[in-house]
Amino acid sequence: MAKQLLIYERAVPVTRQRHGSWSIKAGSSYEFAREINSVPLMAAEFAPAASEYTIVFGGAGDEIIPVVLLGIRDGENLYVGEGGAWTGKYVPAFLRRYPFVFSADDANAPDALFTLCVDEEFAGCNDEGRGERLFDADGERTQYLQNVLGFLQAYQAQFQRTKLFVARLENLGLLEPMQAQFTLRTGQRATLSGFSVINRERLKALSGDKLAELMQADELELIYLHLASLTNLAPIAERVGQPVPDTAPAAPADFATSGTA
């Protein structure tokens, strides 16, 4: 899985002293994401994302997080087209927040203090008045900057909620490693690994009480959105030279839940 934060070249804390005259011209180019094949996905995004993306779980240990697959090879995002246009219907919030991001010494600490940063290498950053100002003539935050803060605060809240969801999945032993292999029509082979999925049989074996807890927490719905999204793996791969899965055309659920280490 590609390293996610490489979309930020030089993230610097936003301050009146440094950015008092700065504006941000957002534009519609996602060129900055062209070389990443997955991005984190928050729990609140499962519903809009599941219809077109494959949702899996990337990372290891305390860093496991849901991600959407954007490509099957390193350094390749199949959803960034000519001129940096996004070719999917839904753009993950991880990308929509760019060029801004929160930083903290320990983001997992309950009393963590977050600092708003901006990637100064973003092409839309300028001191010529193009786009939206960060601070007004009196040095106060503009409504645009307030909206950016609100978006990132909501994102951080969703991040904490998503981490609790993943922790519950791990405690219930529902996650298992998965590997998918493809053969392109050119004869080239591609392997996608380094992620986990929910094991459907383990899910079915849970007690009624555990299933009820998942349902009451609105997490059972997330689980089934994830499982349903696994049928999108082949269509995503088809964006690369019409690949043909190595596996026989089994039922989507069988293919989706039969992972290997």
Side-chain angles (χ1 to χ4, degrees):
M1 309 289 280
K3 292 183 179 179
Q4 310 301 341
L5 289 178
L6 287 182
I7 64 174
Y8 294 91
E9 298 290 341
R10 185 156 56 99
V12 175
V14 175
T15 65
R16 294 180 179 85
Q17 293 75 19
R18 188 180 181 94
H19 305 105
S21 63
W22 278 42
S23 298
I24 303 294
K25 180 65 174 177
S28 58
S29 174
Y30 290 88
E31 192 66 37
F32 62 87
R34 183 175 292 280
E35 296 182 356
I36 54 175
N37 67 352
S38 65
V39 295
L41 190 76
M42 300 301 103
E45 301 181 90
F46 274 40
S51 63
E52 62 176 327
Y53 301 105
T54 299
I55 304 171
V56 296
F57 297 85
D62 294 336
E63 301 301 321
I64 296 177
I65 195 76
V67 300
V68 287
L69 298 181
L70 303 175
I72 62 173
R73 299 182 291 195
D74 288 342
E76 179 182 60
N77 187 337
L78 300 172
Y79 288 86
V80 177
E82 294 184 6
W86 193 262
T87 61
K89 296 177 183 178
Y90 179 75
V91 181
F94 182 89
L95 298 177
R96 283 185 282 121
R97 67 179 181 169
Y98 186 82
F100 298 98
V101 66
F102 271 155
S103 69
D105 291 336
D106 184 1
N108 293 317
D111 57 348
L113 296 177
F114 292 92
T115 301
L116 178 65
C117 298
V118 64
D119 186 353
E120 292 187 336
E121 295 300 315
F122 173 55
C125 294
N126 68 91
D127 58 2
E128 302 163 357
R130 292 182 288 108
E132 301 285 348
R133 286 284 300 265
L134 299 180
F135 298 93
D136 62 23
D138 297 324
E140 300 298 324
R141 296 171 181 167
T142 60
Q143 186 60 52
Y144 170 74
L145 187 55
Q146 292 285 18
N147 291 342
V148 167
L149 279 167
F151 181 79
L152 266 69
Q153 287 166 351
Y155 184 92
Q156 187 59 34
Q158 279 297 321
F159 176 80
Q160 295 302 327
R161 192 256 170 152
T162 304
K163 292 291 286 184
L164 291 175
F165 169 55
V166 173
R168 193 189 303 267
L169 296 179
E170 292 186 281
N171 291 336
L172 293 173
L174 294 179
L175 295 177
E176 68 170 358
M178 179 182 175
Q179 182 182 88
Q181 294 183 333
F182 300 88
T183 300
L184 307 185
R185 294 192 182 280
T186 60
Q188 179 184 4
R189 293 175 62 85
T191 300
L192 188 64
S193 60
F195 63 93
S196 298
V197 299
I198 291 173
N199 183 298
R200 188 183 294 267
E201 295 305 314
R202 296 178 194 172
L203 176 65
K204 289 164 63 176
L206 291 179
S207 67
D209 289 343
K210 294 299 184 182
L211 288 171
E213 289 178 8
L214 289 170
M215 182 177 65
Q216 290 169 3
D218 291 329
E219 292 174 347
L220 193 57
E221 177 184 5
L222 298 178
I223 288 173
Y224 281 111
L225 284 168
H226 152 67
L227 290 172
S229 78
L230 295 176
T231 62
N232 293 324
L233 185 56
I236 289 175
E238 285 169 3
R239 289 172 175 253
V240 184
Q242 299 298 317
V244 179
D246 281 349
T247 56
D254 293 339
F255 171 75
T257 57
S258 55
T260 58

